[in-house]
Amino acid sequence: MASSLCGIISVSVSYPLDMIRVRMAYITPESGARAERVRVVARMIYQEQAHRFGLFNFFRGFPLSLVGIIPYAGVSFLTHEYLTSLARGRFAAVAAMPADAQQAQVHRRRRKKPELRAWAELTAGGLSGLFAQTASYPFELVRRRMQIAGAHSPSARVSAVQIARSVWEQAGVRGFFVGLTIGYVKIVPMFAVSFYTYEKLKALFDLD
C-alpha cells in the first residue's frame, strides 16, 4: 500500500511533464524543420478545447495512470521483497554474501538481514521490473493513446473505455501488449540498478 501511495504522489506531480514529453515525441517535424520546443507544445496542449479549463488538458488519461500505478508500484515492491527473501533463505548458499565477509562488519552494524551478492540483487530488481511492467502495460498503452488523442482531435474528449474497445476490436488481447518487449529493454535494467542502489544505500546507513 505504501509503495502504491508513493507512486500515486509521484505521478500526480510529474504527469503534466510526461504529457508534454509524449506529445513532443509524437509530433514529427517535417524534413528540414526544427522540432517543437517545450513552450510551444505546452501552449498547444493548453489551447485545446477538450476541457473548459486549459490546465485539465495536461491530465488526459491521468485517472487511468492512478489505476495503473497500483499494480506497477505494488507488484514491483512485492515481487522484490519476495525474491530477496527467497534469496536470503532457500538460496542463501549461492545468493548471500559469504559469512566471513559479513562477520567483519557485524560489530559496528545493527542490520539483521544478510547482504546479497550483486548478481542476486540485480536479478531480483530486474525481475521485479519485468513483472510490474507486464501487469501495468495495458493501462499504459491506453493512457498513451489518450495523451496523443488531442493531437488528432484537440476538441474531442476520448474516454479510456472508447480506446480500450477500439484496441480490443482491432487486435484482441494481444493489442494491449503491443510494444511490451521494447518496454522490457528499458524497465528491466532500470529496476535492476534502482533496487540494487536502494539496497546498497540501506546497507550503507545500516537500515533494515
Side-chain angles (χ1 to χ4, degrees):
M1 178 64 71
S3 60
S4 296
L5 183 60
C6 291
I8 289 173
I9 294 173
S10 65
V11 168
S12 301
V13 174
S14 63
Y15 195 83
L17 298 177
D18 183 64
M19 177 71 175
I20 296 173
R21 180 182 64 84
V22 170
R23 285 291 186 87
M24 292 184 70
Y26 179 75
I27 299 174
T28 304
E30 297 180 0
S31 179
R34 296 178 59 183
E36 299 289 357
R37 294 185 177 182
V38 174
R39 183 175 58 185
V40 176
V41 175
R43 187 184 299 116
M44 290 168 55
I45 296 173
Y46 182 82
Q47 293 175 348
E48 291 173 359
Q49 302 299 315
H51 294 88
R52 182 177 179 182
F53 299 101
L55 290 177
F56 288 176
N57 292 326
F58 291 93
F59 290 89
R60 284 178 183 260
F62 178 68
L64 198 63
S65 286
L66 295 184
V67 176
I69 200 64
I70 295 175
Y72 186 76
V75 169
S76 64
F77 277 91
L78 180 64
T79 304
H80 181 261
E81 285 297 320
Y82 174 75
L83 292 176
T84 52
S85 63
L86 199 64
R88 292 187 176 100
R90 184 179 301 179
F91 301 102
V94 294
M97 293 284 288
D100 55 348
Q102 298 188 48
Q103 281 292 334
Q105 301 178 357
V106 72
H107 67 281
R108 61 183 178 85
R109 300 181 61 180
R110 301 186 303 272
R111 198 176 192 219
K112 298 178 181 179
K113 292 181 179 179
E115 289 190 37
L116 299 178
R117 296 179 184 272
W119 69 265
E121 289 283 10
L122 292 169
T123 301
L127 289 176
S128 301
L130 185 145
F131 285 114
Q133 179 76 351
T134 304
S136 64
Y137 193 78
F139 298 99
E140 181 179 349
L141 183 137
V142 175
R143 175 177 62 85
R144 295 290 187 196
R145 295 202 177 189
M146 292 182 70
Q147 287 180 319
I148 65 176
H152 297 288
S153 303
S155 60
R157 296 180 63 176
V158 183
S159 69
V161 175
Q162 290 175 302
I163 292 179
R165 184 184 296 116
S166 174
V167 173
W168 175 267
E169 292 174 350
Q170 292 175 9
V173 176
R174 295 181 61 181
F176 291 96
F177 295 93
V178 174
L180 178 60
T181 52
I182 299 299
Y184 288 154
V185 175
K186 170 190 173 183
I187 292 297
V188 171
M190 183 182 77
F191 267 73
V193 173
S194 296
F195 274 116
Y196 177 81
T197 305
Y198 171 70
E199 290 294 335
K200 289 305 178 183
L201 287 175
K202 287 204 304 182
L204 178 64
F205 293 102
D206 199 11
L207 300 173
D208 254 328

